[in-house]
Amino acid sequence: MSERTLAIIKPDAVRKNAIGDIIARYDKAGLKPVAIRMMQFSKATAEGFYAVHKARPFFDSLCTFMVSGPVVVLVLQGDNAIKKNRELMGATDPAKAEAGTIRKVHGANIEFNAVHGSDSPETAKFEIGYFFAEMDVVG
Ligand code: IDP
Ligand code: MG
């Protein structure tokens, strides 16, 4: 079933000039970009996006990281896009991620882990709507 997911190339990956490599991995996996936006998060943008993690001990640090430089926000479309992107990303902690996954290749640690990906249809809907209007998405 074709579906959409939200991906973010985080500030650490943008800083190390990995945008092209990461988008090429989406392409090869059949995850077609249907919207792309480069932006600098404000604190409020980061806190709203990660509101579900508000009670976690790493919340403030995570939000500080996410505003530390520009990010690339994408909507990816394809068969089982949500699960497929989670597999392509690898585990949250790069040390535990499978070889060849984006986080294994580009992540430094459990916080600076290169990419975000929606984890369910409900979060994908919220996250896509957080950054894009329907008219911003093609295909
Ligand atoms: P996910 O990105 O694999 O879905 P989540 O548990 O949703 O992982 O956490 C969101 C983000 O918060 C992670 O991608 C990572 O950047 C950061 N994070 C998660 N767990 C920790 C932690 O234990 N310490 C520091 N940062 C964390
Ligand atoms: Mg998550």
Side-chain angles (χ1 to χ4, degrees):
M1 185 193 66
S2 183
E3 62 183 9
R4 289 173 177 171
T5 189
L6 188 96
I8 302 176
I9 303 175
K10 296 184 178 183
D12 57 333
V14 173
R15 264 193 290 278
K16 60 179 284 211
N17 301 323
I19 296 173
D21 179 74
I22 291 170
I23 293 179
R25 288 168 191 270
Y26 298 146
D27 286 341
K28 286 192 192 102
L31 294 168
K32 197 178 167 60
V34 290
I36 300 184
R37 176 176 178 188
M38 189 158 196
M39 61 185 292
Q40 166 73 53
F41 280 11
S42 67
K43 203 78 195 281
T45 299
E47 288 173 356
F49 182 74
Y50 281 120
V52 62
H53 292 313
K54 214 178 196 135
R56 302 286 194 89
F58 58 81
F59 179 73
D60 284 340
S61 177
L62 171 61
C63 292
T64 299
F65 164 48
M66 291 303 290
V67 307
S68 69
V71 299
V72 180
V73 188
L74 307 93
V75 180
L76 303 173
Q77 184 169 295
D79 285 343
N80 292 311
I82 296 168
K83 185 163 177 274
K84 196 182 273 184
N85 186 40
R86 294 291 305 194
E87 287 169 2
L88 190 64
M89 288 160 62
T92 307
D93 183 352
K96 296 182 181 145
E98 299 264 339
T101 58
I102 295 172
R103 282 168 162 172
K104 186 57 136 192
V105 173
H106 291 298
N109 57 50
I110 196 167
E111 180 169 64
F112 302 151
N113 59 3
V115 283
H116 169 85
S118 308
D119 64 4
S120 72
E122 294 69 35
T123 53
K125 194 169 193 302
F126 164 75
E127 291 175 359
I128 292 168
Y130 193 77
F131 294 108
F132 297 100
E134 192 53 43
M135 67 179 290
D136 296 325
V137 183
V138 301

